[in-house]
Amino acid sequence: MKKHIPNLLTLGNLFCGTIATILAVNNNFVYAGLFVVLGIFFDFFDGFAARLLNVSGELGKQLDSLADMVTSGVVPGIIMFKLIGDKQIGSVIFIDEFNLPTILPFIGLILTLGACYRLAKFNIDTRQSESFIGLPTPAMSLFVISLPLILEYSNIELVNNLIRNNYFLITITLILTYLMNAELPLFSLKFKNYAVKNNIIKYLFLMISLFMIISLQYLSIPLIITIYVILSLISNSKKV
């Protein structure tokens, strides 16, 4: 029975991702974001449970990537699609301010393609047991789902105007897709031991993240992920 516990948690991730997809399609970004976060929670604990119960296997590995593809691949793609299209949806194509057809919003779905490619690579890459190579798909997903939440709850007009700018959204789409598949080593939050000397970057990241969450709320999410990449680059430069 215990061998099925991690897989049930993984299916919980898929269930949340499926609900989030439905909500995102219907422009309910707040609750879509909530279910994505819940799905990522299940995603974290399925691996933890598998290690704890010593029941890791190929089936669980494949299920995990399939569930992540929905929660952290399809959902952020749909949300970016909607943000770029600004919800002005036609039957197949969009109409811009000059009444000309445009396929611009479909650029947002590049995130879904990039996530799929990364997850496929992750399954056959034996180098990512202790750290990551490329931005994990849940981190990308959190970045994207935070954008409509910032629009909903932030009163910083400069930030809101930036998120409403399609050039910014397309640039973010391309950068996140690149980061997911780049040969860029990024630290994980797994601790072999808790000595400060050996985990200074991790402790620094956690302290900065906690401070930013308390002070900036939803706005902290894309900033934290940006800092995560920057600290990883700093950590990599010290190893060279």
Side-chain angles (χ1 to χ4, degrees), residues 104-117:
L104 207 60
F106 291 93
I107 293 175
L109 298 180
I110 291 174
L111 287 171
T112 300
L113 304 182
C116 181
Y117 194 80

Side-chain angles (χ1 to χ4, degrees), residues 212-228:
M212 293 184 76
I213 290 170
I214 293 171
S215 58
L216 298 175
Q217 299 177 332
Y218 292 115
L219 183 56
S220 69
I221 298 173
L223 296 176
I224 286 170
I225 293 168
T226 303
I227 290 170
Y228 169 60

Side-chain angles (χ1 to χ4, degrees), residues 31-170:
Y31 282 102
L34 177 64
F35 275 97
V36 166
V37 171
L38 186 58
I40 291 173
F41 175 84
F42 280 121
D43 182 44
F44 175 82
F45 279 101
D46 64 0
F48 178 79
R51 290 188 295 271
L52 183 66
L53 299 172
N54 194 28
V55 291
S56 298
E58 191 61 30
L59 175 62
K61 184 178 180 181
Q62 299 302 324
L63 274 178
D64 188 70
S65 286
L66 289 170
D68 278 350
M69 184 57 217
V70 177
T71 306
S72 298
V74 174
V75 178
I78 290 172
I79 290 176
M80 189 61 80
F81 173 92
K82 294 276 192 170
L83 288 174
I84 296 173
D86 197 26
K87 305 175 189 175
Q88 300 172 14
I89 304 174
S91 56
V92 179
I93 58 175
F94 289 67
I95 304 299
D96 66 14
E97 61 268 31
F98 301 107
N99 204 36
L100 296 173
T102 174
I103 60 170
L104 207 60
F106 291 93
I107 293 175
L109 298 180
I110 291 174
L111 287 171
T112 300
L113 304 182
C116 181
Y117 194 80
R118 177 192 160 68
L119 289 166
K121 282 205 311 179
F122 183 84
N123 275 2
I124 60 174
D125 193 337
T126 58
R127 300 172 296 167
Q128 302 191 52
S129 58
E130 300 295 333
S131 60
F132 298 110
I133 297 176
L135 186 70
T137 53
M140 177 277 290
S141 186
L142 288 172
F143 191 111
V144 174
I145 67 168
S146 72
L147 300 179
L149 297 180
I150 293 168
L151 284 175
E152 182 76 22
Y153 296 107
S154 173
N155 54 10
I156 304 175
E157 200 59 32
L158 178 63
V159 174
N160 291 345
N161 287 337
L162 191 62
I163 295 173
R164 292 189 185 102
N165 186 294
N166 277 351
Y167 294 108
F168 171 77
L169 293 173
I170 291 170

Side-chain angles (χ1 to χ4, degrees), residues 4-24:
H4 296 297
I5 293 175
N7 292 340
L8 288 173
L9 291 171
T10 302
L11 292 175
N13 174 17
L14 178 58
F15 180 71
C16 291
T18 304
I19 294 175
T21 301
I22 296 168
L23 292 166

